Amino acid sequence: MYLRTRTSVEQDRPTLAMLLGITEDRQDATGQSLDHLAQVAAAWPMAAGVQLVAVIAAAIATRGAALTIWLGGLLAIASIATMLLVRAPLFGWPPHRRAQLLAIASAATAAALLPLIWSTADAPPNGIQLGATVMLAGATGLSGLAVHSVRAAILSFGVGLVAAMAVLVSAPLVILEATVLLGALGLATLRLAHLDRAASLALAERADEGRHAVKMMAEFEGQGTGWFWEADRHGRVIYLSAKVADEIAAADATPIGRLLTDIFRMDSAAPGTERTLAFHLSSRTSFSDYSVCAAADREGARWWSISGRPVVDSLGRFQGFIGSGADLTEKRKSEAEITRLALFDGLTGLANRQRMRLSLDKTLAQAAGQHRPASLFLMDLDRFKAVNDTLGHQAGDALLKMVAQRLQRVVGEAGLVGRLGGDEFQVLLPGTDGREGLATLARALIDALSQPYLITGTQVSIGCSIGIAIAPQHGEDAETLIRNADLALYAAKGDGRGVHRFYAEEMLAGAKHRQQLEDDLRTALGAGDFHLCYQPVVGTADARIVGYEALVRWEHPVRGLVSPADFVPVAEECGLIEALGEWVLRTACEEAARWPGSVRVAVNVSPVQFANPQLPGIVASALAHAGLAPDRLELEITEGVFLNDSTATDQMFRALKGLGVRLALDDFGTGYSSLGYLRSAPFDKIKIDQSFVRGIAQPGNRNAAIIKAIVTLAETLGMETTAEGVEVQDEIDLVRELGCSHIQGYVYGRPTRAEHIAGRLDGGELHARPIGFKVSRAPRTRMLRSARIVARGREGDVRIRDISATGAMIDGTKLDARSVGLDLLIELVEDRMIAAQVRWAQGGRAGLHFAEAIDVATVAASSGVRTNRRAG
C-alpha cells in the first residue's frame, strides 16, 4: 500500500504556483503551509516594530516631508495587512489564498521601504539622517527575513525592491544588476520550495504509516478482543496470539504445531458456513468471519470469529495461511439476550406485540386443527394520558407496571397477557369461548384496573375499556380476530368507556359506514356540498333576536341530510374538522355581514381548531374579507380546550380577545366541569347545556336550581347566559324568571338557511314568536350506546338512540311491523334486564315501552355515556 502511495506522489508533478504556495496543494497533508504562516506571525511583530521606529526617524530626518508621510502610511497598511493575514484567517480563507495576499502585502512593504531609504539619504546629513537610513535598511532586511518562510512572499518582496529601484534609479546597469540578484533569489526560493514539499510528503507518508500501525494495534490487541494466527503449508499452526493460545491450552494441549482444524470447531448453525475450515485449507481459498470455539469446549463457553487468507512468496509459491480473529463471546451473549428481550416488553416484563402475535398465530393454528376455541381481549386504559401530562412520564411508567401486575394477577394461568405499546394491552385466552365467563373476567379486569393507585404519594384513578373477539366465530386468522377485537374496543369506548363489548357484525358494518362517510366527507368538502343554517338567539327581556348560531348542514346526494352528530365526530377523527371549521367561519361572516348591525353571528370552534396557533389569523382574515365588525362575531368554545396546555390556552384567549370578537363558553357543565378557568378565561357569555334546561317545568325537577346557580355565577363574573334547547313554551317564562339573558331552541324556530334569515331581517322582523308545544312533556334524551336484548329466547345487540323514563328508540334490529306487541328484555344497566314491549317497528328501528318507569340519569351514569343534545 505504501509503495503505491509513493509512486502516485512521484507522478504528481507540482506546478510553480503549488511550490510557491499560492494555489491549493492536495499533497500538503501535514499543513506545512499553515506552519509557514505561523513562522511569519512569530517574526513579523519585530519587523513591524523596527519599521515603525525607522519611519518615525525618517520623518524627523526629512522634516515631515509629504513623500515620507505617504510612504510611511503605505508601509503601515502593508504591515497591518501582513499581521492580519498571518495571525487570524480572514473569512475562513484557505492557506493558499492567504499566501497570495501576503505576497501582495510583501511587495507593497518592499516598494515602500526602498523609496523611504532613498528619500532619507537625500536629507541634510546629520546624526538623525544617518540613523534613520540605517534603521530603514535594517527594517528592509528584517522584513525580508520575517516573510522568507512563505516562498511567494519573499519572492514578491524582491520584486517590490527591484520595481522600486527601477523607478528611483535611471542607471540601466544598476537595474540590470538588481534584476540578476532577483533571478538568483527566485532560483534559491524555488529550490527551497522543492525541499519544503519533499519534506512535507515524506513527513505525511511517515505519519500515515504510523497511523495505520497504531490503528491496527488498537483494533486487534489494544481492546483485548483481537488476535492473530498463522499456519504453514500443511495447515499446522505456527503462530497464535498468546491470549487465545493460553485459553485453548487450559482445556487442551498447546495449539502450536497442531492442525488448525484440530484446534477449532465451527458453529455449523451460523449462516454462511456451508464450507468447512478443512475445505478452505485444502483448496487454499480465503474465508472470513467463521464462528469457532475450542474443539475441547463442548459447552461453547468461548466463541471467536476467525478469518484467513493464503500467503504466497514472490515466486507465487504457497507458503501457508495468515489471518486474524476476534472474541465473539460477549456478542453472542448479547444477541441471545436481545433475542429474549425481543419477545418481552422492556418496561412491564409482559409479552410484547411480537410474542403476542406469534402466540396468537400458534393458538389459532392449533384451534383450526383440533377445533379448539380461543378468545382475544384488546384493552385500552382510560384517562392514562392525563396521568402522563400531570405527573410526568416516570409516573406513567410506574402506573403501567402496576397495571401489568394487576392484569397478571387477575388473568393468572388462564391466558397470556401482553403489552402492545403505550397504554394498550392484550390478553389471549386459549380454549375459552363462553360469553358469560369472558364477561365475568372482563368485569373483573375493569374493576381491578379501576381501583386507585398510589404513585409518588399521589392517588391516581384510571379506567379500562375492553373489546372481545372469539375464534373461530369472529375470525379464524390473527388479522381478522385482532381487527374485530379492535372494533369491539372502539364500540366500548363509544359507549362511555369503562365497559367491555363483544364483537358483533354490526360493528364491522359501522366501521365500513364510518370509512365511507369519511370518504364522502372529503369529497363533499372539496365539492362544496355543505351549507349553513342559522338558529335565532333571543333576548329574554324583550323577545328580540340578538343573533344567530351558524350550524353546518350536509345534504348527501344518496343519504340525504346527514346529521352533524354523525359527520362532525368523523371529521374530527380524520383531521378534516379544521378545514370544515374554517369554511363555516368564513361563510358565516360573509352572510352575517348582510344583516343589520345589531345582529350577531355565533360560530362553534372545536378543540382541534382552538389548539391551532393560526386560529387568530384565520379569524382576522375572515372578518376582514367579509367586512364584519369583530364585536358581531361570537366564537363558541367548549370546556374541552382546558384539557390542553394552560399557557397556550391563555395565549390563545388573549389573541382572540385582542381581535375584539366575543367568546362564549358552550355546553357549560357537561365537560371539564371545573370552575377554576372562569377566573382567567375572558368569556362574554355562558351557554347552559340543554341537559339542564329540558324538563325544568316538570314537578320535582332539580335543573331549575342548577340553572339559577349558573346564572348567579355568570352575573357575578359579568357574563351573559343563554339557555340552550328550550323547546316548550311554558319553559320560556321559567327561564326568564331564573335570570337567563338569552334563549336558544326550537321554541323560537328551527335552523333555517341564510336567505330566509336575510329576508326576515330585511323586513325589520327582529321580534321572535314562540312556536311548538305549550306544555312540557317527559323529556327525551339522545344517546348512542349498545345494549343487549332478549326476544323469543334469542339474544342480540342493538343501539339505543333515544330514551325517556317510559320508553326508548332502538336501531340495528331485525324487528318489523309483525313484532308490534312483542314482549322482550333489554339490558339498560349492566347485568340488569328491563321488561319492555315493542310499540312500533320500521326500517331497522323500533320503539319500546317500558313495563315500569326508569331513571334516565341512572342509566346514563351507569354506562358512563354523555347524553347528546338534539341535532339542531
Side-chain angles (χ1 to χ4, degrees), residues 21-22 37 77-78 81-86 88-91 93-109 147 150 152-153 156:
I22 57 176
L37 291 171
I77 293 172
T82 300
M83 182 63 70
L84 291 174
L85 287 168
V86 298
L90 298 179
F91 313 112
W93 286 340
H96 70 273
R97 181 71 63 194
R98 294 162 61 193
Q100 293 172 359
L101 297 175
L102 182 60
I104 297 173
S106 298
T109 301
V147 300
V150 178
S156 295

PDB file of all heavy atoms in Angstrom, residues 21-22 37 77-78 81-86 88-91 93-109 147 150 152-153 156:
ATOM      1  N   GLY A  21       3.115  28.002  -3.049  1.00  0.00           N
ATOM      2  CA  GLY A  21       2.067  28.000  -2.029  1.00  0.00           C
ATOM      3  C   GLY A  21       0.910  28.921  -2.317  1.00  0.00           C
ATOM      4  O   GLY A  21       0.151  29.254  -1.400  1.00  0.00           O
ATOM      5  N   ILE A  22       0.730  29.352  -3.591  1.00  0.00           N
ATOM      6  CA  ILE A  22      -0.354  30.289  -3.891  1.00  0.00           C
ATOM      7  C   ILE A  22      -1.517  29.600  -4.596  1.00  0.00           C
ATOM      8  O   ILE A  22      -2.488  30.267  -4.987  1.00  0.00           O
ATOM      9  CB  ILE A  22       0.165  31.473  -4.738  1.00  0.00           C
ATOM     10  CG1 ILE A  22       0.811  30.965  -6.031  1.00  0.00           C
ATOM     11  CG2 ILE A  22       1.123  32.319  -3.937  1.00  0.00           C
ATOM     12  CD1 ILE A  22       1.252  32.094  -6.951  1.00  0.00           C
ATOM     13  N   LEU A  37       2.987  30.122   7.594  1.00  0.00           N
ATOM     14  CA  LEU A  37       2.299  31.348   8.007  1.00  0.00           C
ATOM     15  C   LEU A  37       2.520  31.619   9.489  1.00  0.00           C
ATOM     16  O   LEU A  37       2.655  32.779   9.918  1.00  0.00           O
ATOM     17  CB  LEU A  37       0.812  31.223   7.705  1.00  0.00           C
ATOM     18  CG  LEU A  37       0.421  31.226   6.222  1.00  0.00           C
ATOM     19  CD1 LEU A  37      -1.047  30.869   6.061  1.00  0.00           C
ATOM     20  CD2 LEU A  37       0.692  32.599   5.603  1.00  0.00           C
ATOM     21  N   ILE A  77       0.011  50.290   6.226  1.00  0.00           N
ATOM     22  CA  ILE A  77      -1.111  49.484   5.712  1.00  0.00           C
ATOM     23  C   ILE A  77      -0.630  48.085   5.352  1.00  0.00           C
ATOM     24  O   ILE A  77      -1.265  47.074   5.699  1.00  0.00           O
ATOM     25  CB  ILE A  77      -1.748  50.175   4.493  1.00  0.00           C
ATOM     26  CG1 ILE A  77      -2.423  51.485   4.935  1.00  0.00           C
ATOM     27  CG2 ILE A  77      -2.751  49.254   3.806  1.00  0.00           C
ATOM     28  CD1 ILE A  77      -2.910  52.322   3.783  1.00  0.00           C
ATOM     29  N   ALA A  78       0.500  48.006   4.640  1.00  0.00           N
ATOM     30  CA  ALA A  78       1.028  46.693   4.243  1.00  0.00           C
ATOM     31  C   ALA A  78       1.419  45.873   5.458  1.00  0.00           C
ATOM     32  O   ALA A  78       1.195  44.646   5.499  1.00  0.00           O
ATOM     33  CB  ALA A  78       2.227  46.886   3.317  1.00  0.00           C
ATOM     34  N   ALA A  81      -1.791  44.645   7.194  1.00  0.00           N
ATOM     35  CA  ALA A  81      -2.390  43.573   6.383  1.00  0.00           C
ATOM     36  C   ALA A  81      -1.629  42.268   6.571  1.00  0.00           C
ATOM     37  O   ALA A  81      -2.224  41.183   6.678  1.00  0.00           O
ATOM     38  CB  ALA A  81      -2.408  43.987   4.918  1.00  0.00           C
ATOM     39  N   THR A  82      -0.289  42.389   6.604  1.00  0.00           N
ATOM     40  CA  THR A  82       0.517  41.185   6.813  1.00  0.00           C
ATOM     41  C   THR A  82       0.204  40.544   8.154  1.00  0.00           C
ATOM     42  O   THR A  82       0.039  39.317   8.256  1.00  0.00           O
ATOM     43  CB  THR A  82       2.007  41.542   6.746  1.00  0.00           C
ATOM     44  OG1 THR A  82       2.300  42.092   5.453  1.00  0.00           O
ATOM     45  CG2 THR A  82       2.875  40.312   6.987  1.00  0.00           C
ATOM     46  N   MET A  83       0.084  41.365   9.198  1.00  0.00           N
ATOM     47  CA  MET A  83      -0.186  40.833  10.526  1.00  0.00           C
ATOM     48  C   MET A  83      -1.556  40.130  10.567  1.00  0.00           C
ATOM     49  O   MET A  83      -1.709  39.046  11.146  1.00  0.00           O
ATOM     50  CB  MET A  83      -0.154  41.972  11.551  1.00  0.00           C
ATOM     51  CG  MET A  83      -0.383  41.513  12.988  1.00  0.00           C
ATOM     52  SD  MET A  83       0.925  40.380  13.547  1.00  0.00           S
ATOM     53  CE  MET A  83       2.297  41.546  13.667  1.00  0.00           C
ATOM     54  N   LEU A  84      -2.564  40.730   9.947  1.00  0.00           N
ATOM     55  CA  LEU A  84      -3.893  40.127   9.940  1.00  0.00           C
ATOM     56  C   LEU A  84      -3.909  38.809   9.174  1.00  0.00           C
ATOM     57  O   LEU A  84      -4.552  37.835   9.576  1.00  0.00           O
ATOM     58  CB  LEU A  84      -4.918  41.092   9.330  1.00  0.00           C
ATOM     59  CG  LEU A  84      -5.246  42.340  10.151  1.00  0.00           C
ATOM     60  CD1 LEU A  84      -6.161  43.262   9.373  1.00  0.00           C
ATOM     61  CD2 LEU A  84      -5.857  41.962  11.488  1.00  0.00           C
ATOM     62  N   LEU A  85      -3.212  38.776   8.056  1.00  0.00           N
ATOM     63  CA  LEU A  85      -3.227  37.568   7.219  1.00  0.00           C
ATOM     64  C   LEU A  85      -2.560  36.387   7.899  1.00  0.00           C
ATOM     65  O   LEU A  85      -2.979  35.239   7.726  1.00  0.00           O
ATOM     66  CB  LEU A  85      -2.537  37.860   5.878  1.00  0.00           C
ATOM     67  CG  LEU A  85      -3.324  38.748   4.908  1.00  0.00           C
ATOM     68  CD1 LEU A  85      -2.442  39.196   3.762  1.00  0.00           C
ATOM     69  CD2 LEU A  85      -4.532  37.990   4.384  1.00  0.00           C
ATOM     70  N   VAL A  86      -1.506  36.639   8.682  1.00  0.00           N
ATOM     71  CA  VAL A  86      -0.783  35.522   9.291  1.00  0.00           C
ATOM     72  C   VAL A  86      -1.271  35.202  10.693  1.00  0.00           C
ATOM     73  O   VAL A  86      -1.075  34.085  11.181  1.00  0.00           O
ATOM     74  CB  VAL A  86       0.735  35.812   9.324  1.00  0.00           C
ATOM     75  CG1 VAL A  86       1.279  35.973   7.919  1.00  0.00           C
ATOM     76  CG2 VAL A  86       1.046  37.058  10.159  1.00  0.00           C
ATOM     77  N   ALA A  88      -4.700  35.768  12.004  1.00  0.00           N
ATOM     78  CA  ALA A  88      -6.079  35.256  12.072  1.00  0.00           C
ATOM     79  C   ALA A  88      -6.599  35.031  10.658  1.00  0.00           C
ATOM     80  O   ALA A  88      -6.583  35.954   9.849  1.00  0.00           O
ATOM     81  CB  ALA A  88      -6.973  36.257  12.800  1.00  0.00           C
ATOM     82  N   PRO A  89      -7.065  33.843  10.334  1.00  0.00           N
ATOM     83  CA  PRO A  89      -7.606  33.572   8.994  1.00  0.00           C
ATOM     84  C   PRO A  89      -8.867  34.401   8.758  1.00  0.00           C
ATOM     85  O   PRO A  89      -9.828  34.290   9.502  1.00  0.00           O
ATOM     86  CB  PRO A  89      -7.940  32.081   9.020  1.00  0.00           C
ATOM     87  CG  PRO A  89      -7.377  31.545  10.276  1.00  0.00           C
ATOM     88  CD  PRO A  89      -7.102  32.659  11.192  1.00  0.00           C
ATOM     89  N   LEU A  90      -8.828  35.238   7.739  1.00  0.00           N
ATOM     90  CA  LEU A  90      -9.971  36.087   7.445  1.00  0.00           C
ATOM     91  C   LEU A  90     -11.014  35.327   6.636  1.00  0.00           C
ATOM     92  O   LEU A  90     -10.700  34.687   5.640  1.00  0.00           O
ATOM     93  CB  LEU A  90      -9.516  37.318   6.656  1.00  0.00           C
ATOM     94  CG  LEU A  90      -8.517  38.243   7.374  1.00  0.00           C
ATOM     95  CD1 LEU A  90      -8.135  39.388   6.469  1.00  0.00           C
ATOM     96  CD2 LEU A  90      -9.100  38.758   8.674  1.00  0.00           C
ATOM     97  N   PHE A  91     -12.259  35.401   7.099  1.00  0.00           N
ATOM     98  CA  PHE A  91     -13.396  34.838   6.360  1.00  0.00           C
ATOM     99  C   PHE A  91     -13.217  33.359   6.036  1.00  0.00           C
ATOM    100  O   PHE A  91     -13.786  32.843   5.083  1.00  0.00           O
ATOM    101  CB  PHE A  91     -13.629  35.608   5.055  1.00  0.00           C
ATOM    102  CG  PHE A  91     -13.631  37.101   5.209  1.00  0.00           C
ATOM    103  CD1 PHE A  91     -12.623  37.876   4.669  1.00  0.00           C
ATOM    104  CD2 PHE A  91     -14.636  37.722   5.944  1.00  0.00           C
ATOM    105  CE1 PHE A  91     -12.621  39.246   4.829  1.00  0.00           C
ATOM    106  CE2 PHE A  91     -14.635  39.101   6.105  1.00  0.00           C
ATOM    107  CZ  PHE A  91     -13.629  39.871   5.550  1.00  0.00           C
ATOM    108  N   TRP A  93     -10.527  31.918   4.943  1.00  0.00           N
ATOM    109  CA  TRP A  93      -9.732  31.710   3.730  1.00  0.00           C
ATOM    110  C   TRP A  93      -8.746  30.570   3.923  1.00  0.00           C
ATOM    111  O   TRP A  93      -8.125  30.430   4.977  1.00  0.00           O
ATOM    112  CB  TRP A  93      -8.957  32.989   3.387  1.00  0.00           C
ATOM    113  CG  TRP A  93      -9.849  34.066   2.828  1.00  0.00           C
ATOM    114  CD1 TRP A  93     -11.074  33.899   2.276  1.00  0.00           C
ATOM    115  CD2 TRP A  93      -9.564  35.472   2.805  1.00  0.00           C
ATOM    116  NE1 TRP A  93     -11.598  35.097   1.886  1.00  0.00           N
ATOM    117  CE2 TRP A  93     -10.693  36.098   2.192  1.00  0.00           C
ATOM    118  CE3 TRP A  93      -8.498  36.257   3.213  1.00  0.00           C
ATOM    119  CZ2 TRP A  93     -10.760  37.459   1.983  1.00  0.00           C
ATOM    120  CZ3 TRP A  93      -8.570  37.611   3.006  1.00  0.00           C
ATOM    121  CH2 TRP A  93      -9.681  38.224   2.418  1.00  0.00           C
ATOM    122  N   PRO A  94      -8.511  29.737   2.863  1.00  0.00           N
ATOM    123  CA  PRO A  94      -7.514  28.663   2.946  1.00  0.00           C
ATOM    124  C   PRO A  94      -6.104  29.245   2.917  1.00  0.00           C
ATOM    125  O   PRO A  94      -5.886  30.403   2.537  1.00  0.00           O
ATOM    126  CB  PRO A  94      -7.817  27.816   1.706  1.00  0.00           C
ATOM    127  CG  PRO A  94      -8.471  28.749   0.749  1.00  0.00           C
ATOM    128  CD  PRO A  94      -9.242  29.715   1.580  1.00  0.00           C
ATOM    129  N   PRO A  95      -5.095  28.448   3.288  1.00  0.00           N
ATOM    130  CA  PRO A  95      -3.716  28.957   3.354  1.00  0.00           C
ATOM    131  C   PRO A  95      -3.214  29.523   2.032  1.00  0.00           C
ATOM    132  O   PRO A  95      -2.509  30.535   2.027  1.00  0.00           O
ATOM    133  CB  PRO A  95      -2.908  27.728   3.783  1.00  0.00           C
ATOM    134  CG  PRO A  95      -3.887  26.868   4.507  1.00  0.00           C
ATOM    135  CD  PRO A  95      -5.194  27.082   3.829  1.00  0.00           C
ATOM    136  N   HIS A  96      -3.556  28.868   0.908  1.00  0.00           N
ATOM    137  CA  HIS A  96      -3.024  29.380  -0.364  1.00  0.00           C
ATOM    138  C   HIS A  96      -3.602  30.762  -0.696  1.00  0.00           C
ATOM    139  O   HIS A  96      -2.914  31.598  -1.301  1.00  0.00           O
ATOM    140  CB  HIS A  96      -3.294  28.392  -1.502  1.00  0.00           C
ATOM    141  CG  HIS A  96      -4.722  28.288  -1.906  1.00  0.00           C
ATOM    142  ND1 HIS A  96      -5.619  27.434  -1.295  1.00  0.00           N
ATOM    143  CD2 HIS A  96      -5.427  28.942  -2.872  1.00  0.00           C
ATOM    144  CE1 HIS A  96      -6.813  27.556  -1.866  1.00  0.00           C
ATOM    145  NE2 HIS A  96      -6.724  28.460  -2.822  1.00  0.00           N
ATOM    146  N   ARG A  97      -4.865  31.019  -0.290  1.00  0.00           N
ATOM    147  CA  ARG A  97      -5.432  32.343  -0.539  1.00  0.00           C
ATOM    148  C   ARG A  97      -4.728  33.383   0.326  1.00  0.00           C
ATOM    149  O   ARG A  97      -4.436  34.499  -0.116  1.00  0.00           O
ATOM    150  CB  ARG A  97      -6.923  32.305  -0.215  1.00  0.00           C
ATOM    151  CG  ARG A  97      -7.650  33.611  -0.456  1.00  0.00           C
ATOM    152  CD  ARG A  97      -7.796  33.908  -1.928  1.00  0.00           C
ATOM    153  NE  ARG A  97      -8.598  32.892  -2.581  1.00  0.00           N
ATOM    154  CZ  ARG A  97      -8.683  32.740  -3.893  1.00  0.00           C
ATOM    155  NH1 ARG A  97      -7.980  33.543  -4.685  1.00  0.00           N
ATOM    156  NH2 ARG A  97      -9.442  31.782  -4.415  1.00  0.00           N
ATOM    157  N   ARG A  98      -4.428  33.030   1.551  1.00  0.00           N
ATOM    158  CA  ARG A  98      -3.717  33.965   2.436  1.00  0.00           C
ATOM    159  C   ARG A  98      -2.292  34.214   1.937  1.00  0.00           C
ATOM    160  O   ARG A  98      -1.773  35.335   2.048  1.00  0.00           O
ATOM    161  CB  ARG A  98      -3.704  33.403   3.856  1.00  0.00           C
ATOM    162  CG  ARG A  98      -5.089  33.323   4.470  1.00  0.00           C
ATOM    163  CD  ARG A  98      -5.140  32.391   5.669  1.00  0.00           C
ATOM    164  NE  ARG A  98      -4.270  32.837   6.733  1.00  0.00           N
ATOM    165  CZ  ARG A  98      -3.924  32.086   7.796  1.00  0.00           C
ATOM    166  NH1 ARG A  98      -4.402  30.846   7.883  1.00  0.00           N
ATOM    167  NH2 ARG A  98      -3.145  32.578   8.724  1.00  0.00           N
ATOM    168  N   ALA A  99      -1.671  33.173   1.352  1.00  0.00           N
ATOM    169  CA  ALA A  99      -0.323  33.343   0.805  1.00  0.00           C
ATOM    170  C   ALA A  99      -0.328  34.305  -0.379  1.00  0.00           C
ATOM    171  O   ALA A  99       0.610  35.107  -0.565  1.00  0.00           O
ATOM    172  CB  ALA A  99       0.252  31.986   0.393  1.00  0.00           C
ATOM    173  N   GLN A 100      -1.371  34.233  -1.214  1.00  0.00           N
ATOM    174  CA  GLN A 100      -1.475  35.164  -2.344  1.00  0.00           C
ATOM    175  C   GLN A 100      -1.514  36.605  -1.853  1.00  0.00           C
ATOM    176  O   GLN A 100      -0.785  37.478  -2.357  1.00  0.00           O
ATOM    177  CB  GLN A 100      -2.740  34.843  -3.147  1.00  0.00           C
ATOM    178  CG  GLN A 100      -2.716  33.497  -3.860  1.00  0.00           C
ATOM    179  CD  GLN A 100      -4.062  33.160  -4.476  1.00  0.00           C
ATOM    180  OE1 GLN A 100      -5.009  33.933  -4.354  1.00  0.00           O
ATOM    181  NE2 GLN A 100      -4.128  32.013  -5.137  1.00  0.00           N
ATOM    182  N   LEU A 101      -2.360  36.855  -0.869  1.00  0.00           N
ATOM    183  CA  LEU A 101      -2.491  38.221  -0.359  1.00  0.00           C
ATOM    184  C   LEU A 101      -1.233  38.656   0.387  1.00  0.00           C
ATOM    185  O   LEU A 101      -0.851  39.841   0.361  1.00  0.00           O
ATOM    186  CB  LEU A 101      -3.712  38.310   0.548  1.00  0.00           C
ATOM    187  CG  LEU A 101      -5.055  38.021  -0.150  1.00  0.00           C
ATOM    188  CD1 LEU A 101      -6.191  38.026   0.862  1.00  0.00           C
ATOM    189  CD2 LEU A 101      -5.311  39.054  -1.233  1.00  0.00           C
ATOM    190  N   LEU A 102      -0.582  37.690   1.065  1.00  0.00           N
ATOM    191  CA  LEU A 102       0.660  38.030   1.775  1.00  0.00           C
ATOM    192  C   LEU A 102       1.748  38.427   0.784  1.00  0.00           C
ATOM    193  O   LEU A 102       2.567  39.316   1.067  1.00  0.00           O
ATOM    194  CB  LEU A 102       1.113  36.833   2.619  1.00  0.00           C
ATOM    195  CG  LEU A 102       2.370  37.044   3.446  1.00  0.00           C
ATOM    196  CD1 LEU A 102       2.172  38.186   4.439  1.00  0.00           C
ATOM    197  CD2 LEU A 102       2.739  35.766   4.193  1.00  0.00           C
ATOM    198  N   ALA A 103       1.759  37.793  -0.397  1.00  0.00           N
ATOM    199  CA  ALA A 103       2.742  38.172  -1.421  1.00  0.00           C
ATOM    200  C   ALA A 103       2.518  39.611  -1.867  1.00  0.00           C
ATOM    201  O   ALA A 103       3.480  40.379  -2.048  1.00  0.00           O
ATOM    202  CB  ALA A 103       2.625  37.221  -2.602  1.00  0.00           C
ATOM    203  N   ILE A 104       1.259  39.999  -2.028  1.00  0.00           N
ATOM    204  CA  ILE A 104       0.970  41.389  -2.426  1.00  0.00           C
ATOM    205  C   ILE A 104       1.404  42.353  -1.327  1.00  0.00           C
ATOM    206  O   ILE A 104       2.020  43.399  -1.585  1.00  0.00           O
ATOM    207  CB  ILE A 104      -0.529  41.529  -2.727  1.00  0.00           C
ATOM    208  CG1 ILE A 104      -0.910  40.647  -3.915  1.00  0.00           C
ATOM    209  CG2 ILE A 104      -0.893  42.980  -2.993  1.00  0.00           C
ATOM    210  CD1 ILE A 104      -2.403  40.601  -4.177  1.00  0.00           C
ATOM    211  N   ALA A 105       1.098  42.000  -0.077  1.00  0.00           N
ATOM    212  CA  ALA A 105       1.485  42.868   1.040  1.00  0.00           C
ATOM    213  C   ALA A 105       3.005  42.978   1.146  1.00  0.00           C
ATOM    214  O   ALA A 105       3.551  44.052   1.455  1.00  0.00           O
ATOM    215  CB  ALA A 105       0.892  42.329   2.336  1.00  0.00           C
ATOM    216  N   SER A 106       3.733  41.881   0.878  1.00  0.00           N
ATOM    217  CA  SER A 106       5.209  41.908   0.950  1.00  0.00           C
ATOM    218  C   SER A 106       5.774  42.809  -0.140  1.00  0.00           C
ATOM    219  O   SER A 106       6.733  43.568   0.089  1.00  0.00           O
ATOM    220  CB  SER A 106       5.751  40.483   0.808  1.00  0.00           C
ATOM    221  OG  SER A 106       5.296  39.673   1.863  1.00  0.00           O
ATOM    222  N   ALA A 107       5.204  42.716  -1.361  1.00  0.00           N
ATOM    223  CA  ALA A 107       5.670  43.596  -2.444  1.00  0.00           C
ATOM    224  C   ALA A 107       5.436  45.055  -2.080  1.00  0.00           C
ATOM    225  O   ALA A 107       6.292  45.925  -2.328  1.00  0.00           O
ATOM    226  CB  ALA A 107       4.944  43.236  -3.739  1.00  0.00           C
ATOM    227  N   ALA A 108       4.276  45.342  -1.501  1.00  0.00           N
ATOM    228  CA  ALA A 108       3.981  46.723  -1.090  1.00  0.00           C
ATOM    229  C   ALA A 108       4.939  47.183   0.000  1.00  0.00           C
ATOM    230  O   ALA A 108       5.380  48.348   0.014  1.00  0.00           O
ATOM    231  CB  ALA A 108       2.532  46.815  -0.605  1.00  0.00           C
ATOM    232  N   THR A 109       5.273  46.275   0.935  1.00  0.00           N
ATOM    233  CA  THR A 109       6.226  46.629   2.006  1.00  0.00           C
ATOM    234  C   THR A 109       7.574  47.015   1.417  1.00  0.00           C
ATOM    235  O   THR A 109       8.181  48.042   1.793  1.00  0.00           O
ATOM    236  CB  THR A 109       6.381  45.453   2.967  1.00  0.00           C
ATOM    237  OG1 THR A 109       5.115  45.134   3.535  1.00  0.00           O
ATOM    238  CG2 THR A 109       7.367  45.774   4.075  1.00  0.00           C
ATOM    239  N   VAL A 147       9.427  37.203   6.281  1.00  0.00           N
ATOM    240  CA  VAL A 147       8.483  36.553   5.355  1.00  0.00           C
ATOM    241  C   VAL A 147       9.142  35.475   4.514  1.00  0.00           C
ATOM    242  O   VAL A 147       8.488  34.905   3.627  1.00  0.00           O
ATOM    243  CB  VAL A 147       7.824  37.605   4.428  1.00  0.00           C
ATOM    244  CG1 VAL A 147       7.069  38.626   5.242  1.00  0.00           C
ATOM    245  CG2 VAL A 147       8.836  38.265   3.526  1.00  0.00           C
ATOM    246  N   VAL A 150       7.411  31.925   3.756  1.00  0.00           N
ATOM    247  CA  VAL A 150       6.385  31.860   2.707  1.00  0.00           C
ATOM    248  C   VAL A 150       7.067  32.235   1.408  1.00  0.00           C
ATOM    249  O   VAL A 150       7.382  33.407   1.164  1.00  0.00           O
ATOM    250  CB  VAL A 150       5.211  32.815   3.019  1.00  0.00           C
ATOM    251  CG1 VAL A 150       4.182  32.777   1.905  1.00  0.00           C
ATOM    252  CG2 VAL A 150       4.557  32.441   4.343  1.00  0.00           C
ATOM    253  N   ALA A 152       6.382  32.540  -1.751  1.00  0.00           N
ATOM    254  CA  ALA A 152       5.811  33.545  -2.644  1.00  0.00           C
ATOM    255  C   ALA A 152       6.011  34.943  -2.079  1.00  0.00           C
ATOM    256  O   ALA A 152       6.230  35.909  -2.824  1.00  0.00           O
ATOM    257  CB  ALA A 152       4.322  33.263  -2.848  1.00  0.00           C
ATOM    258  N   ALA A 153       5.970  35.074  -0.746  1.00  0.00           N
ATOM    259  CA  ALA A 153       6.107  36.381  -0.113  1.00  0.00           C
ATOM    260  C   ALA A 153       7.521  36.922  -0.266  1.00  0.00           C
ATOM    261  O   ALA A 153       7.721  38.106  -0.581  1.00  0.00           O
ATOM    262  CB  ALA A 153       5.721  36.287   1.354  1.00  0.00           C
ATOM    263  N   SER A 156       8.027  37.960  -3.834  1.00  0.00           N
ATOM    264  CA  SER A 156       7.341  39.229  -4.094  1.00  0.00           C
ATOM    265  C   SER A 156       8.063  40.386  -3.423  1.00  0.00           C
ATOM    266  O   SER A 156       8.073  41.508  -3.942  1.00  0.00           O
ATOM    267  CB  SER A 156       5.898  39.145  -3.581  1.00  0.00           C
ATOM    268  OG  SER A 156       5.179  38.188  -4.299  1.00  0.00           O
TER     269      SER A 156
END
